[in-house]
């Protein structure tokens, strides 16, 4: 499945889209671990010292807010972005 | 209004061929050499129009740039086709290898260009939208007969918060394509469910927006002023809170993502 990254997260990763290969029963959290594994520079931008996802980081699955425990399916579009700042 | 530029020999011919393929009202703008743009000088006249009883008109004037012209056309036309503006920040078709700032398609000659694919191309790019575009759309709504009010909000690039600030030169906006639009549609739909709120329209520009230029518009068509005012405020507040759009600020001193501050 594919991650879409935005704003400074895309700059840190050096790419706006990242494909990850995960098992069929992977959760959104597993797919996030695979993303950060492929782009370690993201780790400190996404996870706090306690290893938890920062509250201000948004994770979407197919355009809707997603919990890390949520199941994924092949072909999902996942998105990771900082606080929105339009207007 | 969708905009497409064409540059190179035969650009004007291709504009005309393409115009016939497009579904909607089309305006064409042709680049003129400097000598041809000298207005017939009449002291104190900035613009001169001729109008016939059947609605045909001609116009000429001075003191207009391409951005200003596109702003004016955007409320009234569905498409603008520009011939001969290689430096314009619009998607551009290059004929015979002529150079342009933002080439999205190329063809050897005007006759060789595939107008059906260009018609699809023009729709795939961000439209040129102004406040007036949305106001006119609201006025054309079937529910306008019940509307006694239109409230609007325009967000623009502020150069300074205070006198000593480093001036902001521009903001650059990036959006999550598809998701940003569906989020805005969902917000509009929820606001339209309010009593007396007839239509809510929103548009946010992307890419580089210069100091002083407009960024975002919210337009509310409503029965009365109270619900129009409340809804336009809630509309822009929710857009700023919920829609996945990100801005990077360039000042005279530095460049930074706004959410990092």
């Amino acid at each position: 499945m594919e991650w879409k990254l935005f704003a400074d997260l895309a700059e840190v990763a050096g790419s706006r889209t990242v494909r990850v290969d995960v098992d069929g029963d992977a959760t959104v959290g597993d797919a996030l671990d695979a993303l950060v594994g492929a782009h370690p520079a993201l780790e400190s931008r996404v996870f706090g010292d306690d290893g938890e996802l920062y509250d201000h980081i948004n994770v979407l699955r197919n355009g809707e807010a997603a919990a890390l425990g949520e199941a994924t399916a092949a072909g999902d579009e996942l998105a990771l972005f900082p606080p929105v700042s339009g207007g | 209004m969708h905009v497409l530029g064409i540059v190179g020999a035969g650009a004007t011919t291709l504009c005309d061929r393409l115009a016939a393929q497009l579904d909607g009202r089309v305006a064409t703008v042709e680049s003129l050499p400097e000598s041809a743009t000298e207005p017939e000088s009449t002291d104190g006249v900035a613009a001169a129009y001729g109008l016939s009883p059947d609605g045909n008109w001609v116009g000429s004037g001075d003191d207009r740039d391409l951005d200003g012209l596109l702003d004016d056309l955007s409320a009234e036309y569905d498409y603008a086709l520009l011939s001969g503006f290689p430096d314009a920040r619009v998607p551009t078709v290059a004929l015979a290898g002529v150079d342009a700032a933002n080439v999205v398609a190329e063809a050897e000659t005007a006759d060789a260009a595939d107008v059906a694919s260009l018609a699809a191309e023009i729709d795939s790019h961000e439209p040129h939208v102004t406040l007036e575009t949305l106001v006119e759309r609201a006025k054309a709504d079937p529910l306008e007969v019940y509307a006694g009010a239109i409230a609007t909000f325009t967000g623009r690039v502020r150069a300074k918060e205070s006198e000593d600030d480093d001036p902001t030169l521009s903001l650059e906006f990036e959006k999550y394509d598809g998701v940003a639009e569906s989020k805005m549609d969902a917000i509009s739909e929820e606001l339209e469910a309010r009593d007396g709120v007839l239509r809510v329209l929103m548009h946010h520009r992307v890419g580089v927006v210069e100091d002083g230029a407009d960024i975002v518009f919210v337009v509310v068509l409503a029965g009365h002023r109270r619900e129009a005012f409340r809804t336009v405020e809630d509309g822009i507040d929710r857009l700023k809170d919920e829609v996945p759009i990100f801005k990077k600020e360039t000042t005279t001193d530095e460049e930074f993502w706004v959410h990092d501050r």
Side-chain angles (χ1 to χ4, degrees):
Chain A
M1 58 198 64
E2 188 169 79
W3 279 98
K4 284 184 181 280
L5 308 177
F6 294 91
D8 57 321
L9 300 184
E11 288 180 354
V12 167
S15 178
R16 291 174 182 281
T17 57
V18 178
R19 291 205 73 81
V20 293
D21 287 319
V22 289
D23 295 338
D25 59 353
T27 61
V28 172
D30 295 333
L32 180 58
D33 289 340
L35 169 69
V36 173
H39 295 278
L42 282 172
E43 186 160 4
S44 64
R45 307 295 280 252
V46 176
F47 296 117
D49 291 339
D50 56 1
E52 298 285 316
L53 183 71
Y54 280 123
D55 283 345
H56 64 261
I57 297 290
N58 297 284
V59 179
L60 268 57
R61 176 174 165 255
N62 299 327
E64 300 291 339
L68 295 185
E70 200 171 309
T72 61
D76 275 354
E77 178 177 294
L78 301 168
L80 189 70
F81 52 83
V84 303
S85 56
Chain B
M1 179 181 76
H2 287 280
V3 183
L4 189 72
I6 303 176
V7 296
T12 308
T13 313
L14 182 54
C15 277
D16 293 343
R17 277 182 63 213
L18 179 55
Q21 283 282 315
L22 295 170
D23 188 17
R25 280 163 59 76
V26 181
T28 63
V29 181
E30 188 180 344
S31 165
L32 298 177
E34 211 155 317
S35 57
T37 58
E38 288 293 321
E40 289 174 37
S41 61
T42 305
D43 273 350
V45 176
Y49 288 88
L51 182 63
S52 74
D54 52 5
N56 290 330
W57 61 274
V58 293
S60 70
D62 54 24
D63 208 14
R64 187 106 82 139
D65 62 12
L66 184 60
D67 286 339
L69 181 56
L70 291 177
D71 282 352
D72 288 348
L73 295 174
S74 71
E76 235 192 301
Y77 301 91
D78 301 304
Y79 295 96
L81 303 178
L82 318 180
S83 67
F85 294 92
D87 301 327
R89 275 199 308 194
V90 302
T92 300
V93 180
L95 298 175
V98 168
D99 208 19
N102 184 19
V103 175
V104 297
E106 293 183 89
E108 269 316 304
T109 64
D111 287 338
D114 175 1
V115 285
S117 80
L118 291 181
E121 179 77 36
I122 190 169
D123 285 333
S124 73
H125 294 278
E126 283 286 320
H128 188 94
V129 173
T130 61
L131 179 65
E132 213 49 43
T133 312
L134 300 189
V135 170
E136 287 306 313
R137 207 174 289 165
K139 287 179 176 173
D141 194 278
L143 295 175
E144 61 80 26
V145 290
Y146 304 107
I150 293 176
T152 76
F153 174 83
T154 302
R156 63 197 295 278
V157 181
R158 174 178 51 239
K160 294 176 167 204
E161 292 275 359
S162 63
E163 206 181 333
D164 303 330
D165 259 2
D166 290 332
T168 297
L169 301 177
S170 63
L171 297 175
E172 183 170 2
F173 293 90
E174 172 188 326
K175 80 172 186 246
Y176 186 174
D177 280 327
V179 175
E181 288 79 1
S182 58
K183 199 82 207 169
M184 282 193 268
D185 288 348
I187 294 168
S188 292
E189 212 169 295
E190 280 179 42
L191 295 174
E192 285 165 359
R194 293 179 177 183
D195 280 349
V197 175
L198 304 166
R199 188 65 62 212
V200 177
L201 302 168
M202 301 179 170
H203 180 80
H204 197 296
R205 292 182 172 168
V206 293
V208 175
V209 183
E210 309 287 344
D211 152 37
D214 296 341
I215 300 164
V216 59
F217 312 105
V218 179
V219 169
V220 176
L221 181 76
H224 302 89
R225 70 185 183 282
R226 292 281 171 233
E227 54 260 31
F229 287 140
R230 283 193 197 108
T231 304
V232 81
E233 180 175 16
D234 293 345
I236 184 60
D237 286 350
R238 288 194 57 185
L239 185 156
K240 290 186 71 127
D241 281 348
E242 300 172 29
V243 178
I245 297 174
F246 311 94
K247 74 169 154 251
K248 192 184 225 180
E249 180 166 341
T250 301
T251 71
T252 46
D253 231 35
E254 55 181 342
E255 200 181 270
F256 56 91
W257 288 97
V258 170
H259 67 264
D260 278 342
R261 295 300 163 103

